[in-house]
Amino acid sequence: MIDHSHDPALPCWVPGATDHPEFPIQNLPLGVFSDGEGDARIGTRIGDHVLDLRGLAEMGLVPPELGSLSDTTLNSLLARPAADRLALRHALSALLSDGGQAARIVHLLHRIDSVTMQLPAAIGDYTDFYAGIHHAENIGKLFRPDAPLLPNYKHIPIGYHGRASSVTVGDVPVRWPHGQRAGPEGPSFGPSQRLDYELELGIWVGPGNAHGEPIAIDAAPEHIAGFCLLNDWSARDLQAWEYQPLGPFLAKSFHTTISPWIITAEAMAPFRIAQTPRPEGDPRPLPYLWSDADQASGALALNLEVLIETAAMRENGLAPHRLSVGPASNLYWTPAQMLAHHASNGCPLNPGDLLGTGTISTPTPDGRGSLMEISEGGKSPLTLPNGETRTFLQPGDRIIMRAMAQATGAASIGFGECSAEVVA
Amino acid sequence: MIDHSHDPALPCWVPGATDHPEFPIQNLPLGVFSDGEGDARIGTRIGDHVLDLRGLAEMGLVPPELGSLSDTTLNSLLARPAADRLALRHALSALLSDGGQAARIVHLLHRIDSVTMQLPAAIGDYTDFYAGIHHAENIGKLFRPDAPLLPNYKHIPIGYHGRASSVTVGDVPVRWPHGQRAGPEGPSFGPSQRLDYELELGIWVGPGNAHGEPIAIDAAPEHIAGFCLLNDWSARDLQAWEYQPLGPFLAKSFHTTISPWIITAEAMAPFRIAQTPRPEGDPRPLPYLWSDADQASGALALNLEVLIETAAMRENGLAPHRLSVGPASNLYWTPAQMLAHHASNGCPLNPGDLLGTGTISTPTPDGRGSLMEISEGGKSPLTLPNGETRTFLQPGDRIIMRAMAQATGAASIGFGECSAEVVA
């Protein structure tokens, strides 16, 4: 069977969907939405509409074995093999490209501004990696100018466990965290004075593994269901004081924001590229982390962008200001390497678990993925076009992240915004 | 109303329950069990029996508002206020002390050896603290002989996020973890060569807090539903190589074992004691971590014990050998301090979340809570009574943890065993 779902010429009868910059018919992401009555349902986004997949399933218009479409989270769908997600994609693609179907299902479309997006899955565990090598170098330089990367960095996808309960979808306001930090007269407790964002990708886990059973790197793609944007909000003053010897804790666990749509691995198929070759002299990873197939096509052709909108900018009707732009190819480890490493000790990964990649920065100053890097640890304030300055965030600041997948011969698709405002 | 539930003279009609060393009528812990048919039900343990609380609820013998007793996990019961758990305790105490009730409910008793214990709750998030100060000193000395404790230790209950999906109840075999570790010829991957256990207490979270709303230390007890034993299995060679700069990850996430019963905060009421006074010169914690009431009665009168049973000991019918014994009063921070700190940044704690205290060691060599400490980093092998030696664990070793609560004038209660075997 020929897969037409990526054909850039594929038509779509939904008004405004053809040539939609982020959600054309070639995207078809998965999410959970509710309308005014709060009834959570699984949907896909097409143009500026959400299509109710529960309704579609009730009409018998999607493969019957995908009965989990009537759930209020995507966990059971994520548990299914990739072939099932692909079958769903093909069914949706056929329905939305065939104008003859419009009359039957148009009632299942909701305008995106009439619904509220919810967490796509109940997140069992959330893990955050540190795979953005230029970020690791930028941060490391602030502490160890001569040796910014620790000896393990190029051998292990460094990661730590995050706080699943603190993950929300975009637009939930981020309440300003209080915490303990060091000071010249001893530690004190109060509102963070160095609140920051971090630009990351999120990786949604699919079927996963049984406790004690590792996942081989060549099997890892079967367990990667999709992707999203992730803002790993960070309180730098809390982090500096608490993180030795067991790692970040309350500096991160107050809030993590993700974009609401799971951009499926199937939608991303045209946007898989070769991993950036390791620089001459870098060690070759151990075999459990190395696969020629993964090196050939395991990375993501994604362009990432971060913008800030301050309260003053909003009041004066100014557009958000771009803080950084750059490609996801600055990740030193592929998603498959992160997942294979995670399961290498037998740790059980479950459907709906979330992995963060770590902050993605470019080697150049225009693509730094956090204010800590942009302001060089708070020493070099950033001046915004309206004259405001920032070293770290201020109350009322909104951080907006965007991702666009682009490849020759393919229709571009976007991730939708990961956007939230910090409030005092 | 006078609370008779702790009366040491309270009779119990269940055979073998009176004077039971761990589960007399004064204990009444909460757990989830299944019988041969795998039907998970909430139960309490009385002597060597489990009483089916779903059955009791169906008969209308417990307060009707506790409808959550028909669930297959304790999460909704943990979400209820402490007063509801106390009402359940009083109802159970009355039923099990009144011989006139025996005929009505004896059919709801199952012999403990005929059931399988399950996780008492779906654990949303698992956090591990580091509050055992003598453990922190013992481990710190191996790395920094002159300054074993880092500057933050006496100001912050140091903690990190653990892997919720890796937590199982006792007797699930621990599959030997593989992983990456450093070596003279560079890193290698294989079975851990320094597998260890860690003796901890677990703290079960009750109602919890909304996202962004801290929990004041004086309110913390309302959110502590109960306690268990916890074995934080650790692969020391993986840990040493991976833990900088973000903390332990795969060295811990392969398995964590807990004892199956939640020993309720209400059952522990007679065993609350004053926190060990901080040594002269130690800093007084900041106000959000300090409460006179908590200092007066926030610690636990618990005696903790770890035993090992090797495969050879088992084959030769030898009794397990005690590795350590000592009191839980060696925790530098109380459970309320850990919980208040955890929520101080607004991090949402949910019913069924689990907190580990960190390894509890005594200041003396007889109470070291891990092999890393007992063998002084592997340098001083331990000789067992049958002539075997250990620096770290060997396949077939079973680690058994026990806890006994004892106080003058109160019937002693136990936690039941936290016991599991490591398998190659």
Side-chain angles (χ1 to χ4, degrees):
Chain A
M1 169 173 154
I2 298 169
D3 186 347
H4 292 290
S5 72
H6 294 289
D7 183 348
L10 195 68
C12 179
W13 54 261
V14 177
T18 302
D19 298 326
H20 191 278
E22 297 204 80
F23 298 104
I25 192 171
Q26 294 82 7
N27 194 339
L28 303 175
L30 298 171
V32 172
F33 71 100
S34 60
D35 56 19
E37 292 128 47
D39 180 17
R41 270 162 292 170
I42 292 173
T44 189
R45 178 145 174 196
I46 179 71
D48 291 323
H49 289 81
V50 176
L51 176 64
D52 177 351
L53 297 192
R54 184 178 76 190
L56 221 51
E58 284 166 0
M59 293 176 71
L61 294 175
V62 287
E65 69 272 19
L66 300 175
S68 46
L69 289 174
S70 56
D71 290 355
T72 56
T73 69
L74 283 159
N75 293 75
S76 6
L77 188 58
L78 296 174
R80 303 185 73 90
D84 283 359
R85 286 195 314 272
L86 190 62
L88 175 61
R89 175 180 173 83
H90 289 158
L92 296 175
S93 186
L95 287 167
L96 291 168
S97 58
D98 175 5
Q101 302 288 346
R104 291 171 77 191
I105 63 176
V106 68
H107 70 286
L108 296 175
L109 287 173
H110 301 258
R111 279 202 58 82
I112 185 68
D113 53 15
S114 73
V115 304
T116 303
M117 296 306 298
Q118 305 197 348
L119 274 182
I123 302 169
D125 278 288
Y126 159 51
T127 303
D128 202 18
F129 283 91
Y130 196 51
I133 188 167
H134 306 301
H135 168 77
E137 283 173 336
N138 291 339
I139 296 291
K141 269 179 202 155
L142 297 174
F143 297 100
R144 300 170 301 272
D146 298 331
L149 292 183
L150 292 168
N152 54 15
Y153 190 86
K154 293 182 174 177
H155 295 278
I156 288 184
I158 294 291
Y160 69 103
H161 306 296
R163 179 82 191 177
S165 73
S166 74
V167 181
T168 72
V169 292
D171 283 335
V172 175
V174 179
R175 290 174 67 169
W176 202 276
H178 289 53
Q180 191 178 139
R181 69 240 162 184
E185 282 148 40
S188 62
F189 183 87
S192 171
Q193 292 164 355
R194 290 162 76 92
L195 189 58
D196 202 355
Y197 68 87
E198 289 192 339
L199 167 66
E200 304 194 16
L201 284 177
I203 300 164
W204 287 101
V205 175
N209 58 320
H211 199 164
E213 301 282 355
I215 294 174
I217 185 155
D218 279 326
E222 176 72 29
H223 301 281
I224 294 175
F227 304 92
C228 64
L229 281 160
L230 187 151
N231 184 344
D232 179 27
W233 303 98
S234 299
R236 303 296 180 192
D237 44 352
L238 279 56
Q239 189 175 353
W241 177 229
E242 76 173 2
Y243 92 104
Q244 290 281 21
L246 300 183
F249 180 42
L250 302 191
K252 306 275 195 176
S253 64
F254 58 95
H255 210 118
T256 298
T257 300
I258 58 172
S259 56
W261 293 104
I262 298 181
I263 312 301
T264 65
E266 294 68 43
M268 287 298 291
F271 310 103
R272 302 310 286 252
I273 55 175
Q275 172 71 341
T276 307
R278 297 190 150 213
E280 187 95 25
D282 276 13
R284 184 185 166 107
L286 290 168
Y288 80 102
L289 291 174
W290 193 264
S291 141
D292 290 339
D294 182 51
Q295 291 296 305
S297 62
L300 299 164
L302 271 177
N303 203 40
L304 308 172
E305 187 183 35
V306 181
L307 304 101
I308 186 170
E309 181 192 68
T310 69
M313 291 163 72
R314 213 160 31 243
E315 279 163 27
N316 297 309
L318 301 173
H321 171 71
R322 180 193 274 177
L323 291 171
S324 70
V325 64
S329 57
N330 287 300
L331 289 168
Y332 193 77
W333 300 97
T334 66
Q337 287 176 314
M338 294 181 225
L339 190 126
H341 182 63
H342 203 326
S344 66
N345 67 344
C347 174
L349 307 184
N350 291 308
D353 285 351
L354 181 65
L355 316 182
T357 57
T359 310
I360 306 174
S361 295
T362 65
T364 51
D366 57 338
R368 293 171 173 166
S370 68
L371 284 174
M372 182 79 166
E373 293 164 87
I374 292 172
S375 73
E376 291 169 335
K379 290 194 296 285
S380 307
L382 163 79
T383 302
L384 300 173
N386 68 348
E388 289 184 280
T389 61
R390 287 290 182 278
T391 46
F392 293 96
L393 295 169
Q394 293 291 331
D397 287 352
R398 173 175 288 272
I399 292 294
I400 303 158
M401 299 177 173
R402 295 182 183 144
M404 286 297 299
Q406 286 155 334
T408 308
S412 298
I413 64 174
F415 275 35
E417 287 187 353
C418 175
S419 168
E421 186 180 324
V422 291
V423 296
Chain B
M1 168 174 155
I2 297 168
D3 185 348
H4 293 290
S5 72
H6 294 289
D7 183 347
L10 195 67
C12 179
W13 53 260
V14 177
T18 301
D19 297 326
H20 191 277
E22 296 205 79
F23 298 104
I25 192 171
Q26 294 82 7
N27 193 339
L28 302 175
L30 298 171
V32 172
F33 71 100
S34 60
D35 56 20
E37 293 127 46
D39 180 18
R41 270 162 292 170
I42 292 172
T44 188
R45 178 145 175 196
I46 178 72
D48 292 322
H49 289 80
V50 176
L51 176 64
D52 176 352
L53 297 192
R54 184 177 76 187
L56 221 51
E58 285 166 359
M59 294 176 71
L61 293 175
V62 287
E65 69 274 17
L66 300 175
S68 48
L69 289 174
S70 56
D71 290 354
T72 56
T73 68
L74 283 159
N75 293 75
S76 0
L77 188 59
L78 295 174
R80 303 184 73 92
D84 283 0
R85 288 195 312 272
L86 190 61
L88 175 61
R89 175 180 173 83
H90 288 158
L92 296 175
S93 185
L95 287 167
L96 291 167
S97 60
D98 175 5
Q101 302 288 346
R104 292 171 76 191
I105 64 176
V106 69
H107 69 284
L108 297 175
L109 288 173
H110 301 257
R111 281 201 58 83
I112 186 69
D113 53 15
S114 72
V115 304
T116 303
M117 296 305 297
Q118 306 197 348
L119 273 183
I123 301 169
D125 279 288
Y126 158 51
T127 303
D128 201 19
F129 283 91
Y130 196 52
I133 188 166
H134 307 300
H135 169 76
E137 283 173 336
N138 290 341
I139 296 292
K141 269 179 203 156
L142 297 173
F143 297 100
R144 300 170 301 274
D146 297 330
L149 292 183
L150 291 168
N152 55 15
Y153 190 86
K154 293 183 174 177
H155 296 278
I156 288 184
I158 294 292
Y160 70 104
H161 306 296
R163 179 81 191 177
S165 73
S166 73
V167 180
T168 72
V169 293
D171 283 334
V172 175
V174 179
R175 290 175 66 170
W176 202 277
H178 288 54
Q180 191 178 140
R181 68 240 163 182
E185 283 148 38
S188 61
F189 184 86
S192 171
Q193 293 166 353
R194 291 162 75 92
L195 189 58
D196 201 355
Y197 67 87
E198 289 193 340
L199 166 66
E200 304 195 15
L201 284 177
I203 300 164
W204 287 100
V205 174
N209 57 321
H211 199 163
E213 301 282 355
I215 295 174
I217 186 154
D218 280 326
E222 175 72 29
H223 301 280
I224 295 174
F227 305 92
C228 64
L229 281 161
L230 187 152
N231 184 344
D232 179 26
W233 303 97
S234 300
R236 303 296 180 192
D237 42 353
L238 279 56
Q239 188 175 354
W241 178 228
E242 76 172 0
Y243 92 105
Q244 289 281 21
L246 300 183
F249 180 42
L250 302 191
K252 305 276 193 172
S253 63
F254 57 96
H255 210 118
T256 298
T257 301
I258 58 171
S259 56
W261 294 104
I262 299 180
I263 311 301
T264 65
E266 294 69 43
M268 286 298 290
F271 310 103
R272 302 310 287 250
I273 55 175
Q275 172 70 342
T276 306
R278 299 190 148 213
E280 187 96 26
D282 276 13
R284 183 184 166 110
L286 290 169
Y288 80 101
L289 291 174
W290 193 265
S291 141
D292 289 340
D294 182 51
Q295 291 296 306
S297 62
L300 299 163
L302 272 176
N303 203 40
L304 308 172
E305 188 183 34
V306 182
L307 304 100
I308 188 170
E309 181 193 68
T310 69
M313 290 163 71
R314 215 163 25 245
E315 280 162 27
N316 296 310
L318 301 174
H321 171 72
R322 179 193 276 177
L323 291 171
S324 70
V325 63
S329 57
N330 287 300
L331 289 168
Y332 192 74
W333 300 97
T334 66
Q337 286 176 314
M338 294 182 224
L339 189 128
H341 182 64
H342 203 326
S344 66
N345 68 344
C347 175
L349 307 184
N350 291 309
D353 285 350
L354 181 65
L355 316 182
T357 57
T359 311
I360 306 174
S361 294
T362 64
T364 51
D366 56 339
R368 292 170 173 167
S370 68
L371 283 174
M372 183 78 166
E373 293 164 87
I374 292 172
S375 73
E376 291 168 335
K379 290 194 299 283
S380 307
L382 164 79
T383 302
L384 300 174
N386 67 346
E388 289 183 280
T389 61
R390 287 290 183 277
T391 47
F392 293 97
L393 294 169
Q394 293 290 333
D397 287 352
R398 173 175 287 274
I399 292 293
I400 304 157
M401 298 177 173
R402 294 181 183 145
M404 286 297 298
Q406 286 154 334
T408 308
S412 298
I413 64 174
F415 275 35
E417 285 187 355
C418 175
S419 168
E421 187 180 323
V422 291
V423 297

